[in-house]
Structure formats: C-alpha cells, structure tokens
Amino acid sequence: MENFEPEIVAFCCHYCAYTAADMAGSKRISYPSNVKIIRVPCTGKVDAIHLMKALEKGADGVYVAGCLEGDCHFKNGNLRAKARVARVQKFLEDLGWETERVEMLNMSAGMGEHFAKTAREFTEKIKTLGPNPVKEVKTASKAV
Amino acid sequence: MITAEQKPIQEIIGYIAPYGKILLVGCNECVTVCAAGGRKEVGLLASALHLNSLKQGKTIDIKEITLERQCDPEYVEELISYINDVDAVVSMACGCGVQTIAGRYNTPVFPAVNTKFMGASKSQGIWEERCQGCGDCMLGITGGICPVARCSKSLLNGPCGGTSAGQCEIGPDTDCAWRLIWERLVELGIQDRYEELNEAKDWRPAGGAGPRRIIREDLA
C-alpha cells in the first residue's frame, strides 16, 4: 500500500485545463506523473460511459477538468459534464464505491499552478483511498 | 411516447444475483428518447454491473444488444442467436418489451426500468404526462389540453375548489388543467364552448372493461 502509485485519468478540455497543463509545463511546475491526460474538444464531449469504462478498466481515479463555470467555449459543455460526473458519482454510491474516485474540476487556461495543485491533491486523495478494487480481480484472472 | 426510469441498481443486482451470463437488451424506441433504456443506458448499466461484480471479486458475462423495437415480435426474434448462451435476460424496455421477450423465450426476463407514463418532452431532460389512453379522446373539445391526464382528478367540467392562483392543490408545480383549458379557449375565441356540459365519461375504453385490444382486420 505504501508503494501504491495510482493511475489517474484526466479528461481535459482543449480550451482550458489542457492548456493549463501546458502552462504548468512551460512554467516548470511539476505535477504527478500518475495523471494521464486525455484531451477533449470540450468536457461536454465526456459521457458517463467514458468515466465508468475508465474505472472498469482499472483507473484508480478519474477527473474531468473543464472551463470555469460561465466560461465554456461552447457555452455549457462544462455544466453538462458536471451533471454527468454527478450521475456517475450516484452510480458509484449505489454500488458501494467511493464517490471521490470521480470528480469535476474547473479552471481557466492560465491556471497552470492550479492545474498542478489539483493534480497533486487528487493524486493524494486517491492514494488515501487505495487501489481500484477492480485491479485485484483483473490481476487474479490474468494469473489464471 | 412511453416514459421510463431506471430501477434502483440494487434491485437489478438482486434479480440477476443467481445468474452468471446475462443478456442486457435495450430498445431503440421510446426508452431511448427518454434516456432510460437505449444503447447508451445499456452500456452504462452493463458497466455498473461489471463494477459491482468486480468489487465482489467476481466477473459477470454480459452481452449487450439494443433492438429496434422490443414490443414487436419480429425484432425480438433477433435474440434467438444469443438466448441459448445466457442464463437470464435483463430488459431495459418498457413493460411491453419485457413481456414480448418473456412471451417468446423460455428464459427468465427481468425489468431494468420502471415504466412511468405516456408523456411529452417539456425541455431537455424533463418529461410530463400528457395522455392516459382513455380510449375516447376529448382534446377536440378542450382546446388541445387533456383534462383526463392533466387534471389530478380527471374532472370533465371545469376546475374543482382546489385550484389556487391557477395551480393545482397537489403542488405549485402542477398547473390546473382547467385553467389552461379556459385560457386556451379564450385564446382561440371559442370560450362559449366552456358552457357546454360534458356527459359522464364511459371509462370502459380506458381499461375499465379489462385489458384492451385493437384488431385491424385489414392488417391482421
């Protein structure tokens, strides 16, 4: 458990969080390599099934990072994403999973430091929660 | 369309607990439009059931399929190539679809949604009841607003004393159907129509005479 390095999938909007991650890089602000970024044209493109499949395939945590509320490049894609994240959290709650494994974050393109900070915080939170329980079954079935 | 909502996930899990191989069947018609049992929802439910099994250290075999229309035997026939390889079927269609599958195959079938009502879309994500299938439509004399479906008491001749500021006494979110009808009749300039009394309704075509059936001899 001490050596647990979580795998985290971050769906990042091209117009904000992805650019913020780039900004973090330009400013030489490091963030955990656990975070694997998937660039999307808008977080409104992220469907509930993408979040569920990420968990099903073994991601320890998943977050969606979109524009600040009211600033979506496509008007309300980030609000749609927020609602979908809430729906997946409800699914997880009903299934007895930790809802904290999925989260919605908001930031602007210039918030490189914030991107790095939230990536660190989310990684730490997932480290506390421990590995995705799916992993053990997958590892066991591979061994067979 | 017929509207539906997904059942609590634990109820579905309870149904399929004894089975290892599941056929999860969606429907491309009404339940797709009301986002309860279309291809997307089939994927989500399958994923949720997988997550549940994996958390318990097990795996579950789920085959996903979405039929064009689950309430028609010819489409349900498409399941023939899968049905022998599964222990149970979970249907995400309305009650009509569930029963069509149950009537065709000798495999346990479980509903994954609660069928709600015949409704129309008010706006994105909001559906409201508009028809109770009374079998004797009176929309032609009520300005296109149905007192059977939209009045909480299905009154046929004006509002009851429970109407308050144009809203129904059951709650501020429910319009008084007869207020809507009156406003509509005024808008159309046919408010004289309001004076004509509607006779007591024959509720037999509404289901009061048992399960209903339509036989079209030119088609049957």
Side-chain angles (χ1 to χ4, degrees):
Chain A
M1 205 48 185
E2 310 87 67
N3 301 324
F4 167 53
E5 285 298 335
E7 284 180 274
I8 291 165
V9 176
F11 291 95
C12 295
C13 163
H14 166 78
Y15 291 93
C16 52
Y18 188 82
T19 312
D22 202 24
M23 176 77 79
S26 306
K27 294 171 94 172
R28 303 291 182 261
I29 306 165
S30 68
Y31 62 87
S33 59
N34 309 66
V35 177
K36 313 284 189 265
I37 294 177
I38 297 177
R39 181 171 65 160
V40 290
C42 171
T43 49
K45 180 65 191 162
V46 182
D47 208 343
I49 191 70
H50 300 128
L51 310 178
M52 295 289 280
K53 283 288 175 193
L55 291 174
E56 200 185 313
K57 288 178 183 293
D60 299 296
V62 187
Y63 67 83
V64 181
C67 303
L68 296 170
E69 290 191 12
D71 280 349
C72 173
H73 191 77
F74 299 99
K75 287 191 176 175
N76 58 2
N78 52 355
L79 299 180
R80 289 181 188 277
K82 181 184 178 185
R84 288 167 194 161
V85 167
R87 184 170 178 221
V88 170
Q89 286 175 329
K90 176 74 173 57
F91 259 122
L92 296 181
E93 186 186 351
D94 291 346
L95 292 168
W97 280 57
E98 302 94 348
T99 56
E100 298 89 341
R101 287 193 188 274
V102 178
E103 198 172 314
M104 178 78 204
L105 302 172
N106 299 89
M107 63 195 72
S108 75
M111 295 166 76
E113 285 180 29
H114 185 70
F115 177 88
K117 179 171 166 272
T118 51
R120 278 194 298 273
E121 286 171 355
F122 191 79
T123 307
E124 284 310 311
K125 187 171 71 178
I126 299 299
K127 275 185 180 172
T128 318
L129 288 178
N132 178 342
V134 162
K135 276 181 171 167
E136 288 175 31
V137 181
K138 290 199 179 282
T139 316
S141 56
K142 266 184 196 168
V144 176
Chain B
M1 74 182 145
I2 294 173
T3 59
E5 277 184 319
Q6 190 179 309
K7 279 182 173 289
I9 189 92
Q10 290 300 338
E11 184 181 342
I12 302 169
I13 289 168
Y15 284 141
I16 63 169
Y19 307 104
K21 290 182 179 177
I22 306 295
L23 182 60
L24 183 54
V25 192
C27 177
N28 263 341
E29 294 283 349
C30 315
V31 287
T32 292
V33 182
C34 67
R39 185 173 287 117
K40 262 190 178 184
E41 290 73 32
V42 165
L44 267 178
L45 179 58
S47 191
L49 294 175
H50 278 302
L51 284 184
N52 180 63
S53 295
L54 288 165
K55 184 154 196 247
Q56 292 170 356
K58 299 183 290 188
T59 55
I60 187 169
D61 189 355
I62 301 175
K63 165 76 182 164
E64 301 169 34
I65 185 168
T66 302
L67 300 179
E68 193 57 37
R69 195 156 52 243
Q70 240 184 82
C71 55
D72 259 341
E74 54 263 50
Y75 293 111
V76 168
E77 203 60 32
E78 290 173 24
L79 301 180
I80 191 83
S81 47
Y82 310 104
I83 204 84
N84 291 330
D85 299 329
V86 299
D87 305 322
V89 176
V90 174
S91 166
M92 297 198 80
C94 68
C96 309
V98 178
Q99 293 181 64
T100 308
I101 295 179
R104 171 63 183 87
Y105 300 108
N106 192 23
T107 305
V109 183
F110 302 103
V113 303
N114 288 323
T115 308
K116 302 296 238 185
F117 50 79
M118 279 188 275
S121 179
K122 187 183 177 198
S123 58
Q124 174 87 6
I126 300 175
W127 295 272
E128 290 184 340
E129 184 164 19
R130 288 290 179 267
C131 179
Q132 285 190 1
C134 73
D136 184 13
C137 189
M138 55 190 297
L139 286 171
I141 54 173
T142 56
I145 292 158
C146 179
V148 177
R150 298 176 69 177
C151 167
S152 303
K153 294 176 177 172
S154 295
L155 295 181
L156 302 181
N157 287 289
C160 69
T163 182
S164 171
Q167 302 304 111
C168 176
E169 64 183 335
I170 67 160
D173 296 336
T174 306
D175 291 320
C176 170
W178 276 101
R179 189 259 298 173
L180 296 178
I181 291 170
W182 170 253
E183 287 174 355
R184 178 76 175 150
L185 293 178
V186 170
E187 193 181 346
L188 296 173
I190 52 171
Q191 59 268 44
D192 294 350
R193 171 65 196 83
Y194 188 71
E195 299 295 326
E196 291 173 30
L197 286 178
N198 294 310
E199 291 183 359
K201 195 172 175 69
D202 180 358
W203 292 99
R204 283 173 296 182
R212 293 168 281 178
R213 177 182 293 149
I214 295 174
I215 300 175
R216 276 276 302 270
E217 289 183 354
D218 57 326
L219 298 173

